[in-house]
Amino acid sequence: MRFTLPRDLYHGKGSLEELKNLKGKKAIVVVGGGSMKRFGFLDKAVNYLKEAGMEVQLFENVEPDPSVDTVMRGAKAMQEFEPDWIVAMGGGSPIDAAKAMWAFYEYPDTTFEQLITPFSFPTLRTKARFCAIPSTSGTATEVTAFSVITDYNKGIKYPLADFNITPDVAIVDPELAEKMPPKLTAHTGMDAMTHAIEAYVSTLNCNYTDPLALHAIKMIHNDLKASYDGDMDARDRMHDAQCLAGMAFSNALLGIVHSMAHKTGAAYSGGHIVHGCANAMYLPKVIKYNSKDETAAKRYAEIARFIDLKGETTEELVDALIAELKKMNESLNIPKCIKEYEGGIIDEKEFNDKLSSVATLAIGDACTGSNPRQPSQEDMEKLLHACYYDEEIDF
């Protein structure tokens, strides 16, 4: 088994300043739609890199749910500029995009299709090293071996997976996360909760990932609602919690909550289902489904006990955990099901027409293999149906 994390992780307020200490000649900074610029963090980062003696170029406007096209444009910019540091800052999107750009920068002849197979990347760091600076408290892409890229032509989100794309340096500065609006705080927080819970029950959990997952679950359970309500001390702790959850799932992998979120995210013409919100809606259903597996049920019960939920039997503890997660969702104004999402933008007929094909894609997702219970096509269709209509799970 393998356990991989960034070589250096700087955390705490003001840790952005560590950029001054990077050694290199050229840095390209990859950012999203403008919040890093608006709040002054981009200028700070550029100035620190210049203090380190580097020439700096920006690659801006990476969209939410970054596309294959954006990745290819970024790789081209890198091939022309030839940086020895790639610095990605912002939410999960610019960091995920930059990870994929990195592969195409170092290997211009590789194809996107070649990278879709999990753990098939060529050896990186032949041209550049990678520094990730998250501004949201959820994806933990700053410490993971994953990147999610969307092929809009096919309407499919691809999770790319390889330990090569685990960043060299992560800077987890909570000041960047203090600017998140409440809705983003809720969605990213429940994404982190899903990471930690799925890592704990994954078939690849181990003694190295379990403590990280459990501590992250406890922190998120304690602090997410307060963070959502604007308590900045809780917001700062959530930034650490999501990173711990990322350390756990990058090494233990995930499960079918993520498979379903990946494959429903970009599947419908009414609009995207935001990833963290999808995870939050699907997690209680998947726990119920997975709890038919005895080993998984015991581990869910351990989680419930660890956050002081009440129950005598394993089944009671599993049900208490499901109820607690539903209560958290409600307190964060997260809808119960896809039908209620954003006032009903996902059309019922389109959902049912695509049910079979989306279920097939979800089963084939990279996250399905480490789920504690392997779903059949029929199971996955029933699960997705239950997530659309908020039905009870009993199969």
Side-chain angles (χ1 to χ4, degrees), residues 287-288 291 309 314-324:
I287 291 175
K288 190 69 178 173
S291 69
L309 301 180
T314 296
E315 192 176 353
E316 283 172 6
L317 286 160
V318 171
D319 287 343
L321 178 61
I322 292 168
E324 186 65 11

Side-chain angles (χ1 to χ4, degrees), residues 120-176:
S120 64
F121 272 61
T123 301
L124 296 179
R125 297 167 181 80
T126 61
K127 295 179 183 173
R129 284 181 292 164
F130 195 99
C131 173
I133 309 164
S135 66
T136 60
S137 304
T139 69
T141 187
E142 73 277 4
V143 291
T144 75
F146 298 98
S147 159
V148 180
I149 305 297
T150 303
D151 185 333
Y152 285 93
N153 297 324
K154 294 180 180 168
I156 295 175
K157 282 188 176 186
Y158 290 105
L160 307 179
D162 198 285
F163 288 115
N164 264 293
I165 56 172
T166 305
D168 297 281
V169 175
I171 296 177
V172 186
D173 187 332
E175 286 182 355
L176 278 69

Side-chain angles (χ1 to χ4, degrees), residues 182 185-186 223-232 234-235 331-333:
T185 303
D223 286 319
L224 178 52
K225 178 64 166 77
S227 172
Y228 175 73
D229 291 338
D231 176 336
M232 288 304 153
R235 180 78 54 90
S331 74
L332 300 166
N333 293 306

Side-chain angles (χ1 to χ4, degrees), residues 4 32-33 35 79 95 103 111 122 134-135 153 156 169 184 188 216 233 318 386:
T4 301
S35 64
Q79 284 153 18
I95 300 174
T111 65
S135 66
N153 297 324
I156 295 175
V169 175
L184 184 60
T188 54
D233 290 335
V318 171

